[in-house]
């Protein structure tokens, strides 16, 4: 039933090679530079969606990821603009800040389940936006603009990543950055889900009381999973702020939170790589339908409804009929 | 202050009606209906067309709205939610469907009615003025009273009619109700139709006062979620309480804090999060609904 470990590694390497070598070649030869931006967005959104997927994995519906993306974007932007810190330091800082925030937010709200958790996280998205509007450090409604492009990253005098200003096409730089991060993220996610901790998390999804009764530390696991999820949201948001060189309170709103969730649903909740596929299909589908003008939303939503009717368990469930490993 | 309380009561009666429909659908089918606000907008536009454009009596417009929305709700349940619920592995999948339906209705409403703010002629002129402490136009009073009548009618229907009893049984325990011979599919459909109808009727009532535009569906849904959360998901008395509490908080908050901008909503949202952290099931909900 399961392909061998070697085959999986090979598959992943081929996939990475396609993304990192073939796709840039194709884009360069067809001169479709706009695709860099689109694919970068897909990569970043799928990182954030992977976080949402992880909370689904422990049995929670998370509609609050946009809040962490927003926080991550602001942390990075404030550090870069107001304190002149290199972007490469602010990136992990943004993620860690979000993880710390999520521990404090998560401690009380992770006790909630089902729709209650979903609703509180939805409300949290709104709270984050309003706090961004009210705090002086975020510059209110005008947001933070003119964020400089990331500079060079040097370790012991060795230039690891060149200054984005010196690149002839900074979009290309962001593409590589996002795709590499996405690959690392999903690799890590795959490892996590298939580790001992992943098994324990899966037990939470099925029955928390039972898991608790046989000695699983459920509150610890919930917090850790939620913190990882928020970390990913913060990373995604921070890079987004760097690409668009601006961040506003409305950069990430409720609609984004819902989209992150939809990406997971569409790809399939039972599959680690579901969020990646879901994000890709949703984002490209929406972009591609742009040519239909005012019927864009109508066609888009009709296709979504039709997909739900045909494949209620996500796109990835089509390839593996009868494979019910993760529920 | 008196003014703020009266406004709160008026607002609360509208909110309670919206929350009632949402909580009914949730109780019966465990579906979080993201499209609830869009159903409200659709109802508003139907009343706008029948009453505002065709010039027919307001009561007739409300009836037309109620019937159309009930049909739409029944169709959504029968052709969309039922097959998906039957076939999906995790019941959260219905959330994607609900969100897709919300997008779809948004698109349809936008195409049919455009993006302009629409209003209709007042149904009643004049205003109540009590010593300038309470100033309230008559049409608002009428709409408020009408909503309270509808709420009472709905409660009586749920308490004493046969479909009402069946739906309450369904909400308590779906399997047990089925074993006792309740036709689960049929009453789920009736419940969804009723919920959609309530949303549409509020839209129809409010179009006479605030008007309607195609963009307010989403925000209305979020408010409805909040009311349901305050009162407890799936509990009718909770939805009514939640509606009045949110209406009162908004009205009083805006009265005292309007000079600070959006701070009212920040306080409402933040206190809701704190409240839910302390009491996860809301005021009257079952734990882990």
């Amino acid at each position: 039933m399961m392909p061998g470990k070697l085959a999986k590694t090979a598959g992943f390497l081929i996939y990475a090679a396609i993304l990192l070598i073939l796709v840039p070649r194709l884009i360069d030869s067809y001169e479709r530079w706009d695709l860099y931006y689109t694919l970068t967005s897909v990569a970043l959104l799928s990182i954030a969606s992977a976080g949402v997927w992880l909370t689904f994995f422990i049995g929670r519906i998370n509609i609050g990821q946009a809040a962490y993306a927003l926080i991550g974007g602001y942390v990075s932007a404030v550090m870069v603009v107001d304190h002149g810190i290199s972007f490469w330091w602010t990136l992990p800082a943004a993620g860690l800040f979000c993880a710390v925030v999520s521990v404090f937010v998560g401690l009380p709200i992770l006790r909630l389940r089902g729709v209650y958790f979903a609703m509180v996280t939805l409300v949290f998205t709104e709270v984050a936006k309003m706090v961004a509007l009210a705090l002086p450090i975020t510059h209110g409604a005008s947001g933070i603009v003119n964020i400089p492009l990331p500079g060079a990253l040097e370790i012991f005098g060795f230039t690891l990543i060149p200054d984005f200003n010196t690149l002839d096409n900074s979009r290309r730089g962001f593409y590589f950055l996002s795709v590499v991060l996405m690959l690392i993220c999903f690799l890590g996610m795959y490892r996590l889900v298939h580790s001992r901790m992943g098994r324990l998390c899966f037990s939470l999804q099925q029955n928390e009381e039972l898991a608790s009764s046989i000695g699983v530390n459920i509150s610890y696991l919930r917090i850790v999973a939620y913190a990882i999820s928020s970390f990913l949201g913060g990373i995604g948001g921070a890079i987004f702020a760097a690409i668009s060189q601006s961040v506003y309170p409305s950069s990430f709103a409720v609609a984004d939170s819902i989209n992150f969730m939809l990406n997971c649903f569409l790809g399939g909740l039972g599959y680690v790589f579901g969020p990646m596929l879901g994000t890709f299909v949703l984002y490209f589908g929406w972009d591609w339908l742009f040519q239909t003008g005012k019927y864009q939303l109508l066609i888009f939503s009709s296709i979504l409804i039709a997909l739900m009717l045909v494949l209620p368990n996500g796109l990835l469930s089509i390839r593996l009929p009868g494979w019910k490993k993760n529920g | 202050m008196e003014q703020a309380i009266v406004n709160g009561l008026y607002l609360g009666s509208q909110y309670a009606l919206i929350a009632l429909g949402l909580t009914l659908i949730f109780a019966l089918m465990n579906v979080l209906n993201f499209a609830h606000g869009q159903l409200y907008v659709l109802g508003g536009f139907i009343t706008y067309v029948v009453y505002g454009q065709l010039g027919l009596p307001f009561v007739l417009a409300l009836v037309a709205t109620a019937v159309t929305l009930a049909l739409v709700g029944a169709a959504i349940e029968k052709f969309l939610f039922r097959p998906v619920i039957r076939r999906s592995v995790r019941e959260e999948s219905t959330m994607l469907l609900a969100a897709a339906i919300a997008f779809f209705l948004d698109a349809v409403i936008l195409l049919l009615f455009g993006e302009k703010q629409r209003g209709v002629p007042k149904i009643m002129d004049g205003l109540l003025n009590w010593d300038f402490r309470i100033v309230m136009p008559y049409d608002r009073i009428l709409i408020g009273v009408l909503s309270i009548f509808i709420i009472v009618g709905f409660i009586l229907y749920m308490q004493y009619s046969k479909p009402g009893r069946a739906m309450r049984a369904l909400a308590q325990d779906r399997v047990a109700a089925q074993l006792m011979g309740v036709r689960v599919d049929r009453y789920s459909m009736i419940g969804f139709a009723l919920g959609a109808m309530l949303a549409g009727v509020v839209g129809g009532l409010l179009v006479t006062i605030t008007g309607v535009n195609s963009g307010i569906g989403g925000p209305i849904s979020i408010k409805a979620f909040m009311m349901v959360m305050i009162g407890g998901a799936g509990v009718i008395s909770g939805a009514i309480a939640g509606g009045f509490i949110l209406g009162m908080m908004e009205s009083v908050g805006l009265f005292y804090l309007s000079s600070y901008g959006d701070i009212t909503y920040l306080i409402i949202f933040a206190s809701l999060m704190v409240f839910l952290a302390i009491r996860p099931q809301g005021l009257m909900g079952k734990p882990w609904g």
Side-chain angles (χ1 to χ4, degrees):
Chain A
M1 187 173 75
M2 303 266 286
K5 203 172 177 183
L6 197 68
K8 277 188 182 173
T9 318
F12 187 80
L13 286 177
I14 293 172
Y15 181 61
I18 291 175
L19 282 184
L20 291 173
I21 301 169
L22 190 64
V23 171
R25 283 263 170 105
L26 283 176
I27 291 178
D28 286 346
S29 59
Y30 285 98
E31 303 194 340
R32 288 287 308 274
W33 313 111
D34 57 310
L35 277 179
Y36 274 133
Y37 182 75
T38 321
L39 286 171
T40 307
S41 305
V42 170
L44 294 178
L45 292 175
S46 61
I47 291 175
S49 303
V52 178
W53 186 86
L54 189 63
T55 38
F56 268 117
F57 192 64
I58 60 164
R60 294 288 192 282
I61 308 163
N62 184 352
I63 328 182
Q65 190 72 332
Y68 292 107
L70 189 68
I71 295 171
Y74 266 113
V75 168
S76 171
V78 167
M79 284 170 84
V80 169
V81 173
D82 291 350
H83 301 283
I85 302 169
S86 160
F87 169 76
W88 303 108
W89 293 112
T90 68
L91 189 57
L96 287 175
F97 187 83
C98 287
V100 171
V101 171
S102 77
V103 170
F104 287 107
V105 173
L107 271 175
I109 70 168
L110 277 166
R111 297 190 300 134
L112 311 178
R113 279 180 217 181
V115 280
Y116 292 96
F117 185 79
M119 286 304 98
V120 173
T121 49
L122 185 71
V123 169
F124 182 61
T125 315
E126 278 290 310
V127 170
K129 185 180 117 187
M130 288 178 178
V131 169
L133 275 172
L135 282 184
I137 192 169
T138 58
H139 303 283
S142 54
I144 299 176
V145 289
N146 297 326
I147 302 172
L149 285 172
L153 178 66
E154 293 180 354
I155 292 178
F156 305 126
F158 175 70
T159 309
L160 216 55
I161 302 169
D163 193 331
F164 273 47
N165 289 304
T166 61
L167 295 177
D168 45 350
N169 188 349
S170 68
R171 281 181 176 182
R172 209 165 162 210
F174 277 117
Y175 172 78
F176 282 112
L177 171 67
S178 315
V179 167
V180 167
L181 281 180
M182 179 182 81
L183 290 173
I184 294 172
C185 159
F186 277 91
L187 205 59
M189 196 67 89
Y190 184 83
R191 275 310 311 149
L192 180 74
V193 167
H194 291 86
S195 68
R196 184 182 138 76
M197 195 188 142
R199 292 273 142 211
L200 292 177
C201 287
F202 186 50
S203 76
L204 294 191
Q205 180 191 329
Q206 291 186 316
N207 191 333
E208 282 191 9
E209 281 81 13
L210 191 58
S212 166
S213 76
I214 54 174
V216 177
N217 189 347
I218 55 170
S219 44
Y220 168 75
L221 276 178
R222 287 190 307 217
I223 293 283
V224 169
Y226 189 56
I228 296 174
S229 153
S230 312
F231 179 86
L232 296 175
I235 295 276
I239 305 180
F240 242 115
I243 293 180
S244 55
Q245 299 188 288
S246 62
V247 56
Y248 302 97
S250 54
S251 290
F252 292 97
V254 170
D256 298 284
S257 274
I258 293 178
N259 280 336
F260 289 137
M261 184 189 72
L262 294 187
N263 294 337
C264 296
F265 276 128
L266 191 66
L269 294 181
Y271 312 96
V272 182
F273 298 105
M276 193 149 60
L277 182 70
T279 315
F280 183 81
V281 172
L282 264 191
Y283 198 95
F284 260 84
W286 176 249
D287 241 30
W288 184 70
L289 284 173
F290 183 71
Q291 49 191 311
T292 58
K294 63 176 180 172
Y295 298 106
Q296 187 183 20
L297 187 59
L298 187 70
I299 299 173
F300 180 74
S301 53
S302 310
I303 294 175
L304 269 187
I305 293 176
L307 269 179
M308 253 346 259
L309 288 175
V310 183
L311 294 169
N313 298 318
L315 286 174
L316 282 175
S317 63
I318 193 174
R319 212 157 42 83
L320 307 159
W323 193 66
K324 293 193 174 168
K325 187 161 162 288
N326 284 345
Chain B
M1 188 63 204
E2 293 92 342
Q3 181 69 41
I5 289 175
V6 173
N7 283 345
L9 281 177
Y10 155 76
L11 211 55
S13 64
Q14 311 296 327
Y15 283 177
L17 261 186
I18 301 177
L20 266 185
L22 189 68
T23 212
L24 177 68
I25 292 172
F26 178 76
L28 292 184
M29 316 187 41
N30 224 351
V31 163
L32 202 56
N33 186 16
F34 275 105
H36 209 68
Q38 277 75 12
L39 292 171
Y40 163 95
V41 177
L42 189 63
F45 271 113
I46 290 172
T47 305
Y48 161 74
V49 168
V50 176
Y51 171 65
Q53 290 200 311
L54 302 179
L56 296 171
F58 181 64
V59 179
L60 198 67
L62 269 189
V63 172
T65 307
V67 172
T68 322
L69 262 293
L71 290 177
V72 169
I76 289 177
E77 199 280 330
K78 187 166 167 50
F79 297 113
L80 299 175
F81 277 107
R82 197 181 298 173
V84 170
I85 290 176
R86 206 178 54 233
R87 291 183 41 220
S88 69
V89 179
R90 287 179 68 167
E91 61 181 14
E92 293 102 315
S93 302
T94 55
M95 288 175 77
L96 172 58
L97 180 65
I101 294 172
F103 290 150
F104 181 78
L105 287 177
D106 255 342
V108 169
I109 291 167
L110 197 61
L111 285 175
L112 285 181
F113 303 107
E115 56 200 6
K116 277 197 198 122
Q117 169 83 19
R118 304 285 189 185
V120 295
K122 270 181 176 293
I123 46 173
M124 222 173 161
D125 283 325
L127 75 167
L128 177 84
N129 187 345
W130 180 52
D131 204 17
F132 284 104
R133 290 163 77 183
I134 296 174
V135 180
M136 198 78 178
Y138 282 131
D139 56 349
R140 286 192 182 219
I141 298 174
L142 179 68
I143 297 295
V145 171
L146 263 179
S147 330
I148 288 169
F149 268 119
I150 296 174
I151 293 173
V152 172
F154 176 79
I155 293 173
L156 292 178
Y157 180 75
M158 288 303 278
Q159 281 299 328
Y160 297 110
S161 76
K162 192 163 170 246
R165 260 206 306 279
M167 279 189 272
R168 280 189 292 136
L170 213 56
Q172 276 180 5
D173 191 327
R174 201 175 175 86
V175 178
Q178 195 164 20
L179 290 174
M180 295 300 123
V182 176
R183 288 163 69 184
V184 170
D185 280 349
R186 183 175 163 193
Y187 286 108
S188 297
M189 193 167 86
I190 293 179
F192 210 109
L194 205 57
M197 190 180 91
L198 284 175
V201 167
V202 194
L205 287 176
L206 276 187
V207 78
T208 60
I209 291 164
T210 53
V212 62
N213 77 64
S214 49
I216 56 172
I220 291 277
S221 288
I222 292 181
K223 273 189 187 171
F225 291 154
M226 288 176 55
M227 300 174 235
V228 168
M229 290 302 111
I230 295 173
V235 186
I236 286 171
S237 51
I240 297 169
F244 276 102
I245 290 172
L246 186 70
M248 202 55 90
M249 278 167 79
E250 254 183 42
S251 161
V252 174
L254 289 175
F255 182 76
Y256 282 110
L257 301 168
S258 55
S259 50
Y260 300 101
D262 266 347
I263 202 101
T264 309
Y265 287 97
L266 181 57
I267 291 174
I268 291 178
F269 283 132
S271 49
L272 178 63
M273 283 187 72
V274 174
F275 169 70
L276 282 180
I278 298 166
R279 196 171 164 81
Q281 69 269 39
L283 285 178
M284 303 171 189
K286 300 166 280 191
W288 319 129

